[in-house]
Amino acid sequence: MSEVKDLLDYHIYPNLDRAEALADLEPRNKGSYYLLLCPECGKREAFIYKTGLYIKCNRMDKCAYTMSLWDYIQQKHGLTNQETLEELAKLAHYSLPELEGYSHESAEKARKKANILEAA
């Protein structure tokens, strides 16, 4: 499982063009971040840092939308974990190696653990 995390951390996320990945949210370049249409409330008050992993809405008292890039891509396209990994790799222009012993169950557990650690 650490093989998948390493692929994400060292090859996919650093090379991922967030503007391309989130084109449906009409990203506007604001220097170190992109201003987005919020997937929840529709206002242009969401953002993602150019190296960030989370989409957040600035309307904290009204909307408070927060979602990981992984979860957004997965939900938007209705993908499995393996398909999400492949989509992110494609968006990062990275060719995935064959993953020995890959398990969807293990990938889901690792993603949940990463989200908990990120939130903490």
Side-chain angles (χ1 to χ4, degrees):
M1 181 41 38
S2 66
E3 189 175 344
V4 173
K5 183 174 178 355
D6 288 347
L7 284 174
L8 287 167
D9 290 346
Y10 299 114
H11 300 285
I12 296 174
Y13 286 139
N15 297 306
L16 183 65
D17 181 351
R18 273 100 173 133
E20 179 184 351
L22 302 171
D24 60 315
L25 301 178
E26 301 174 12
R28 291 186 184 164
N29 188 345
K30 295 294 183 180
S32 62
Y33 67 97
Y34 291 105
L35 190 60
L36 310 166
L37 292 175
C38 177
E40 184 75 19
C41 69
K43 305 278 187 196
R44 184 167 294 283
E45 294 189 39
F47 67 94
I48 188 167
Y49 289 106
K50 287 189 175 176
T51 58
L53 301 179
Y54 286 87
I55 301 166
K56 297 180 182 183
C57 184
N58 266 335
R59 300 180 69 229
M60 300 310 263
D61 58 336
K62 305 275 192 247
C63 178
Y65 176 87
T66 299
M67 184 173 282
S68 72
L69 189 55
W70 174 282
D71 289 338
Y72 179 77
I73 296 293
Q74 189 170 55
Q75 286 182 9
K76 176 181 149 193
H77 298 290
L79 304 174
T80 65
N81 284 329
Q82 180 65 34
E83 292 167 338
T84 304
L85 179 64
E86 291 167 0
E87 179 67 16
L88 288 170
K90 183 178 85 173
L91 290 166
H93 308 289
Y94 180 75
S95 296
L96 287 173
E98 289 299 316
L99 299 176
E100 215 173 283
Y102 177 82
S103 155
H104 291 293
E105 207 172 279
S106 297
E108 181 66 17
K109 282 182 184 177
R111 185 191 62 75
K112 285 181 181 178
K113 181 180 176 183
N115 286 344
I116 290 169
L117 291 173
E118 179 79 23

